[in-house]
Amino acid sequence: MKKIDEKSRVILLGNPNVGKSVIFGALTGRYVTVSNYPGTTVEISKGGLLLKDRDLVILDTPGINSLVPMSEEERVTRDMLLTGGSSSVVQVADAKNLERGLFLSLQLSEMGVPFVLCLNMSDEAKSRGIDIDEKRLEEVVGVPIVRTVAVRGKGISRLKHHILIPRQSRLKIEYDRRIEEAIRRILPLIPDSSISGRSVALMLLCGDKSLVRWLEERGGKAALEAIEKEREELSRSYMESILYHVNMTRMRMATRISRQIKRAEERQDSRFRRLAESVSMHPFWGLLVLGFVLYLLYLFVGIFGASICVNFFEETLFGRFINPISVNLSDRYIPFRLLRDFLVGEYGVVTMALTYSIAIILPIVVTFFIAFGILEDSGYLPRLAAMINRIFRIMGLNGKAVLPMILGFGCDTMATLTTRILETKKEKTIVILLLALGVPCSAQLTVILAMLGALSWKAMFLWISVIISVIFIVGLLASKIIPGKSSDFILEIPPLRWPKISNLITKTLARMEWYLKEAVPLFILGTVILFVSDRLGILLVSEKVAAPIVSGFLGLPEKAAESFLIGFLRRDFGAAGLYRMAEEALLDPVQIVVSLVTITLFIPCIANFFMIIKEKGLKVAAIVAAFIFPFAILIGGLLNFVLRWLDVVLE
């Protein structure tokens, strides 16, 4: 038994979607720091835990599936163990999927790392009739076992107690004779590290190239060449890769242990759940489920949020009370016309910025956040990724790319950050390009849905068809032009579950807080820029300069240039300007569709642009912007020409 020292690190690791971050929050509280692991874009959260006069540093690592790295996140986690000194480990596992957790436990055991095994979501396991013999599991694995329900804080106190007394596992794995002999031969060549030489030897035999530099620096080139020669000889004795045989041995052992200590009772609701899980990923029925989900999304966001709620906020709350009262108070108490105009004029902070951001966009954004939270917590999003993997393959991507693409409907900036879940640089670049090009954020999307919903289903169908076609064609061409390779599709599919209302409320409030803090100030800033530009005559000049393109090529009123100009600041703000023009009957149906296609494909907002710089560098961000701007105008102009030429009626 080993007690960890003061100031020592405790590494929190586990598979994706096991509630690890919730446990991290329960252990450390809200005051944490997030920073990139040196030399990578992988973020590591760090927080403190004062426990029995011991000052511990808790590190939250990204979700991983193996400690033989296949992604940058897995390499970072493995490297933290490899160079971790006296670190202790808390492995968080999903109690419903014990085999998957034990697969990682076996690798920690091979490394000789003291750890605590935390079985999270034990309430969900119990509700499915899964009973785990905790004492028997502790006897077999040889480390402390702690059951938790992190979202309710259950088991956290016991987990804190065991963090101080982690143990090395007594699990031993015997591999195929040829692999064991190869390990024995190269073991003397493995340099000392914080993990066992046997585990490092296995990684090298499995072809882990990320260890080459580490090995060469510590063991020398001769050791590197000798190990590589051993690995090549061993590879020739198998039809499949060595990694495959190693993983199969680990998986068989994990399954055997699980069967010893787990009892699963068949329940009626489990059968229904399995049927629902099967149908949701079926090649045919899955598409019908997807169509039904999108229809419900339209009813909730497009009708309830964009129509009923917006009407109440805009016409009743702001139209009858806030704006008239603000104008009346300004006229009565503010003697300066310039200041009155600044607050309640055509480009006033109250009458434009707050009306746009609170009355028009906030109700739609909130309903979208609620709907998105339900899709997240129900486990449907990973199923959608698996179902459309084949389509994404055509664009050089895999189904995992659908997750940042869907997140882009919430916020392109956040979605750009989540492209880190993709394995290759090529995939990340393509998805970042497509996000910036054609995925409208929630605020913009809701304004678009409101405008198209008031027009006709034909207009809605046309807008969707153009945007999807553009994304598909650009993605296809990008996959041919951008160098690099695509990765295999490996994604953990969680079980379907009923979302918890408390979690939905927490997520929605957090996202509303983000919107109010991050987006609304930009609306105000955009309005101030418009106000100043109007007073200085810049708007008029800009409209005249852009007139040949806006009114000539795109066939829109010159005033639409104002919306596109402010679209540089935020695309949703630009869309809100078009919404107001449509309300004032300044746009006919064809102009509405043309303007919405153009603003959807328009240049990324400032926040997204800076995030692209952070993730891919200034050069890539500049190339993306330089491509998108003229391309959006080109598509909008061509659409205008085709619709006018064919005399299409969209009402």
Side-chain angles (χ1 to χ4, degrees), residues 12 18 55 112 117 166 196 205 395 406 410 477 486 500 539 555 603:
L12 206 58
V18 294
D55 194 3
L117 178 54
S196 72
L205 289 174
M395 296 189 288
I406 289 180
L477 294 176
S486 302
K500 292 184 181 300
L539 271 185
I603 194 167

Side-chain angles (χ1 to χ4, degrees), residues 336-411:
F336 309 106
R337 181 177 178 180
L338 182 66
L339 185 56
R340 288 202 303 272
D341 290 345
F342 178 76
L343 293 175
V344 296
E346 183 181 4
Y347 301 111
V349 171
V350 176
T351 47
M352 186 173 192
L354 295 184
T355 302
Y356 277 23
S357 59
I358 303 297
I360 296 176
I361 295 183
L362 181 63
I364 318 174
V365 166
V366 170
T367 51
F368 180 85
F369 285 158
I370 293 171
F372 191 74
I374 293 172
L375 292 178
E376 277 185 313
D377 288 8
S378 65
Y380 181 71
L381 286 185
R383 286 175 163 71
L384 181 60
M387 201 168 59
I388 64 174
N389 176 55
R390 188 173 298 175
I391 298 174
F392 272 55
R393 277 290 179 202
I394 300 173
M395 296 189 288
L397 304 170
N398 63 46
K400 197 185 286 187
V402 78
L403 299 178
M405 295 287 278
I406 289 180
L407 282 173
F409 289 111
C411 172

Side-chain angles (χ1 to χ4, degrees), residues 13-30:
L13 63 78
N15 301 112
N17 303 315
V18 294
K20 187 164 51 61
S21 295
V22 181
I23 287 182
F24 174 76
L27 292 175
T28 61
R30 297 184 61 185

Side-chain angles (χ1 to χ4, degrees), residues 493-504:
I493 305 296
L496 285 179
R497 60 171 78 97
W498 288 107
K500 292 184 181 300
I501 294 177
S502 58
N503 286 353
L504 284 176

Side-chain angles (χ1 to χ4, degrees), residues 217-439:
E217 289 176 351
R218 290 163 178 78
K221 198 170 182 179
L224 179 64
E225 291 175 350
I227 291 173
E228 180 59 20
K229 182 180 178 183
E230 189 70 45
R231 192 191 69 79
E232 289 177 356
E233 289 181 3
L234 182 63
S235 297
R236 284 194 286 272
S237 65
Y238 290 104
M239 293 289 289
E240 299 86 5
S241 69
I242 301 169
L243 177 62
Y244 171 81
H245 288 278
V246 168
N247 281 342
M248 288 303 294
T249 304
R250 289 170 174 164
M251 186 55 70
R252 281 194 293 270
M253 187 167 182
T255 303
R256 190 165 61 248
I257 295 172
S258 176
R259 286 174 178 169
Q260 289 176 15
I261 54 87
K262 187 176 77 173
R263 185 173 62 85
E265 178 185 336
E266 184 74 5
R267 294 188 174 185
Q268 189 71 18
D269 63 333
S270 297
R271 287 196 288 270
F272 281 125
R273 184 180 288 113
R274 281 203 297 274
L275 177 63
E277 289 171 352
S278 174
V279 168
S280 65
M281 295 180 63
H282 190 274
F284 175 73
W285 297 112
L287 292 177
L288 295 182
V289 172
L290 174 60
F292 183 65
V293 169
L294 292 178
Y295 178 66
L296 292 180
L297 195 65
Y298 167 75
L299 290 180
F300 185 60
V301 180
I303 301 298
F304 177 70
S307 180
I308 298 174
C309 294
V310 167
N311 285 342
F312 170 77
F313 274 80
E314 187 183 16
E315 296 180 6
T316 304
L317 187 61
F318 273 76
R320 296 184 183 176
F321 298 102
I322 294 179
N323 284 345
I325 292 173
S326 300
V327 171
N328 185 269
L329 290 175
S330 298
D331 291 340
R332 182 174 299 180
Y333 297 108
I334 299 177
F336 309 106
R337 181 177 178 180
L338 182 66
L339 185 56
R340 288 202 303 272
D341 290 345
F342 178 76
L343 293 175
V344 296
E346 183 181 4
Y347 301 111
V349 171
V350 176
T351 47
M352 186 173 192
L354 295 184
T355 302
Y356 277 23
S357 59
I358 303 297
I360 296 176
I361 295 183
L362 181 63
I364 318 174
V365 166
V366 170
T367 51
F368 180 85
F369 285 158
I370 293 171
F372 191 74
I374 293 172
L375 292 178
E376 277 185 313
D377 288 8
S378 65
Y380 181 71
L381 286 185
R383 286 175 163 71
L384 181 60
M387 201 168 59
I388 64 174
N389 176 55
R390 188 173 298 175
I391 298 174
F392 272 55
R393 277 290 179 202
I394 300 173
M395 296 189 288
L397 304 170
N398 63 46
K400 197 185 286 187
V402 78
L403 299 178
M405 295 287 278
I406 289 180
L407 282 173
F409 289 111
C411 172
D412 283 324
T413 306
M414 292 167 63
T416 300
L417 189 66
T418 62
T419 56
R420 295 176 181 183
I421 68 171
L422 304 176
E423 273 79 12
T424 70
K425 292 181 179 178
K426 176 178 181 175
E427 291 171 338
K428 292 176 183 176
T429 304
I430 293 174
V431 173
I432 285 173
L433 169 64
L434 297 181
L435 282 169
L437 173 68
V439 179

Side-chain angles (χ1 to χ4, degrees), residues 14 19 145 148 184 201 225 248 259 291 332 481 513 615 629:
I145 307 294
T148 57
R184 279 194 289 274
E225 291 175 350
M248 288 303 294
R259 286 174 178 169
R332 182 174 299 180
I481 296 171
E513 182 183 0
E615 292 298 303
F629 177 63

